[in-house]
Amino acid sequence: MIPYRPRRTRSLGVTRLGGWTVKVIGIAAEAELPDDFDVEAALQAAERELPHQGGIAFVIVQRGDEALWVNVCRWQADVLYQRLWRAEPGGAGLRQVPPDGPAACVWALLAIDGERRAWIEHVLARPHDPDFTGYLAADPLSEPA
């Protein structure tokens, strides 16, 4: 086991996929955040994963030490649905991780927690007037590189 060290975690913007509004979050084990090629592969995986009805989701694209990891996460009221995808380093051939495989690493959990906090603040704490724009603008909890 290697000692924990923070990883660079940054918002990579918001995009539309069908009826979905998707926040994209990048995490890097080294200095470089995921590039356009990684993000495009992640969004293609998200497009296959997200149901047709639309809503709000977030995608975490992580250049890890041994793989490119993509968490496709969507909100349904107070429940988060999440699916993990993986590709070999340098490749974009993302495949779903089997249901009995991992769900997220500690660095993705940091971003997921930041999204959880933003969802509570901007949406769940305001059930009669949810601030989806505020949620989408909220940056995940970041750690320096």
Side-chain angles (χ1 to χ4, degrees), residues 17-30:
L17 287 177
W20 290 88
T21 303
V22 181
K23 292 175 77 170
V24 181
I25 301 159
I27 301 176
E30 300 300 326

Side-chain angles (χ1 to χ4, degrees), residues 1-141:
M1 186 177 312
I2 60 171
Y4 175 83
R5 68 179 176 86
R7 289 188 175 177
R8 190 169 173 208
T9 303
R10 296 288 181 267
S11 173
L12 300 179
V14 176
T15 191
R16 297 280 299 168
L17 287 177
W20 290 88
T21 303
V22 181
K23 292 175 77 170
V24 181
I25 301 159
I27 301 176
E30 300 300 326
E32 294 298 317
L33 286 168
D35 61 21
D36 292 342
F37 184 72
D38 297 333
V39 171
E40 181 58 33
L43 292 175
Q44 288 176 6
E47 203 162 26
R48 291 191 302 269
E49 184 72 38
L50 295 169
H52 294 292
Q53 80 265 19
I56 295 182
F58 62 93
V59 172
I60 301 168
V61 187
Q62 181 176 186
R63 279 187 173 176
D65 289 324
E66 76 275 354
L68 174 67
W69 298 95
V70 174
N71 292 79
V72 178
C73 305
R74 65 181 170 94
W75 292 109
Q76 186 172 330
D78 60 351
V79 175
L80 178 70
Y81 290 82
Q82 184 272 339
R83 182 64 119 160
L84 184 63
W85 295 65
R86 181 186 190 283
E88 293 302 316
L94 287 165
R95 299 198 192 300
Q96 281 186 349
V97 172
D100 63 344
C105 67
V106 295
W107 298 280
L109 288 172
L110 176 74
I112 291 168
D113 181 57
E115 293 304 310
R116 180 190 72 84
R117 290 171 188 267
W119 188 253
I120 290 169
E121 177 184 346
H122 295 284
V123 179
L124 297 180
R126 305 171 53 138
H128 301 295
D129 183 28
D131 179 11
F132 295 113
T133 302
Y135 167 73
L136 293 167
D139 199 10
L141 189 62

